[in-house]
Amino acid sequence: MANAPHPGNGGTDPEAPALADGLADYLAAVRRPPEAAASLEAARLIADRDARKLAYPRPAGMVVSDSYVVSVGMEIPVRIYRPEGGGAQVAILYFHGGGFTIGSIESYDCLATALAEATGASVISVHYARLPESTPRAILAQCLEVLRWVRRMAGLLGIDPRRLAVAGDSAGAFLATHLAMLARDGPALACQILCYGVYDLDPAREAYSRARDPALARPVIESIIATYRSCEAKDGAATDAPLRIPDLSGLPPTVLLGAEHDPMAQEGREYAAALRSAGVPVVERVAPGMCHGFLRAVRFSGPARDEMRWLATAFHQQLRRQG
C-alpha cells in the first residue's frame, strides 16, 4: 500500500489524486508498520490487531454474534450482524477484501457494520480460507457451503431466504460474482452487490501501469495476480475472472460501485457493460474522489458514509425488481 496522502490533506506529492474528505485519515490508520513486512503471518496479525483503528460504532439495537459453518475437514467462521427489528429480515452474505490473502471478518468489521446499518439487512460476514495456503476452487467451495448453510439456518437467523443477496468488495467482489454464478440453478439470489472489485486478472492492463491510487499501487496488484495464478495452478483448472466468463445470463440484479482513483475502476465499468449485454439489471456508480477500499473509511469520511447510503438505496431498488 502506498503511504502518500493527497496534498490537500497534508501530503506533498504534486501528482497525488484529489481525495475525498477524510480519506487521508483513513489511509494513515491502515498504513502498515515496518514489522508487517516480516511475513504474511505478521501482516495478518497486525491487520486484525489494528482493526480497532477503523471501528465503526454499532447502532443501538444491533446484535452481533460469531458462529461457524462446520463441514467435513473444515470450520468456516462467520460474523452475523442483525439490525434492530423483528420479523424475517433481508440478508446479505458478505465476502471481505484483502487481496485474497490478508483480510478477515475482524479487519473488515467496520464495513460489515456500516453495511448492516445502512441497508437494515442482516449481514453474514464470511472468513473464507486465504491464499496462498488455500486455492481459488477451495475458497469458492467454502463460499458455496456457507450459502447453503445460510439457507438451511434461515429460520434461526431470522432472515427471509427469498431476499438473500451476496456482496463483496475488492477480492470479495470476485468471490461474490462467482458464487452468484454457482447459484444460478437456484434458489435465485435477490441481488449481488459488488464494490471496487477484481473483475480481470491481467497484469498487462494499461490502467495498472498508470495507477496513482494511494491504496492500491501497481506492485500490489501484480503480487495479487501472481499469488492467485500460482495457487490456481494447484487446482489443475482455471477459475476465470468474471470478465473472461462468456455467459453471464441469469445472474441476479446487480449494484456495482467503483472508485474514481481505483486502477480497477475501468474493469468494473466493463463488467457492468457485460452484465447489461447479458440482460442483467445493473445500477452502477463510480464514487468521485475515492480510492480503492474506501468503504472501510466510514469512520473518518462523510463522503464515504454518503456512498454507503447510496449503496443501500440502490440495493433496495434492485430488491424491488424481485417483487
Side-chain angles (χ1 to χ4, degrees):
M1 176 182 292
N3 289 335
H6 174 241
N9 288 315
T12 57
D13 182 353
E15 297 184 23
L19 296 177
D21 289 347
L23 288 194
D25 293 333
Y26 160 70
L27 291 170
V30 297
R31 185 176 296 137
R32 296 177 191 166
E35 58 266 30
S39 66
L40 184 55
E41 275 188 319
R44 288 168 174 168
L45 174 59
I46 289 168
D48 288 338
R49 182 198 68 188
D50 292 351
R52 57 183 172 76
K53 296 179 181 179
L54 307 180
Y56 185 71
R58 292 173 181 169
M62 179 180 287
V63 176
V64 180
S65 58
D66 291 341
S67 192
Y68 300 85
V69 178
V70 182
S71 186
V72 176
M74 64 180 175
E75 291 191 359
I76 309 162
V78 293
R79 181 166 293 172
I80 304 156
Y81 304 77
R82 183 176 175 84
E84 186 174 24
Q89 293 185 348
V90 173
I92 300 171
L93 184 57
Y94 164 68
F95 301 93
H96 60 75
F100 300 105
T101 61
I102 291 177
S104 70
I105 56 177
E106 186 63 31
S107 58
Y108 281 73
D109 178 82
C110 56
L111 197 161
T113 299
L115 181 62
E117 177 190 45
T119 60
S122 287
V123 171
I124 300 97
S125 180
V126 182
H127 184 73
Y128 51 86
R130 293 172 287 191
L131 305 181
E133 291 84 0
S134 189
T135 71
R137 289 195 172 229
I139 294 172
L140 285 170
Q142 287 191 352
C143 295
L144 185 59
E145 189 73 26
V146 177
L147 174 61
R148 290 168 174 163
W149 178 85
V150 169
R151 292 194 187 282
R152 291 196 305 270
M153 297 293 110
L156 290 175
L157 290 168
I159 64 170
D160 182 353
R162 298 166 300 177
R163 296 187 298 163
L164 173 60
V166 293
D169 66 302
S170 191
F174 179 100
L175 299 176
T177 63
H178 276 279
L179 187 57
M181 292 173 200
L182 291 171
R184 277 188 283 192
D185 292 337
L189 292 167
C191 184
Q192 58 176 348
I193 304 170
L194 309 174
C195 303
Y196 38 83
V198 179
Y199 305 107
D200 200 2
L201 289 167
D202 180 4
R205 287 186 73 94
E206 182 182 354
Y208 300 164
S209 65
R210 296 184 281 102
R212 298 295 300 168
D213 188 321
L216 190 62
R218 181 178 181 177
V220 176
I221 299 172
E222 291 174 343
S223 176
I224 289 169
I225 295 172
T227 299
Y228 183 94
R229 292 302 187 196
S230 68
C231 295
E232 181 184 53
K234 301 174 190 175
D235 282 328
T239 301
D240 289 332
L243 274 174
R244 307 293 172 175
I245 293 173
D247 181 13
L248 299 176
S249 61
L251 290 173
T254 301
V255 177
L256 200 150
L257 178 61
E260 178 185 3
H261 302 306
D262 183 3
M264 294 179 172
Q266 179 58 38
E267 62 201 77
R269 288 188 285 265
E270 292 171 18
Y271 189 56
L275 287 169
R276 289 192 184 99
S277 295
V280 177
V282 178
V283 178
E284 178 188 10
R285 174 175 169 81
V286 176
M290 294 298 177
C291 62
H292 190 88
F294 72 86
L295 287 177
R296 287 208 298 162
V298 285
R299 172 176 178 170
F300 307 92
S301 171
R305 293 191 292 274
D306 290 341
E307 296 299 337
M308 182 64 82
R309 284 190 284 270
W310 175 87
L311 194 72
T313 298
F315 170 56
H316 285 286
Q317 176 184 335
Q318 294 293 54
L319 282 183
R320 288 193 287 272
R321 291 180 177 273
Q322 301 297 94

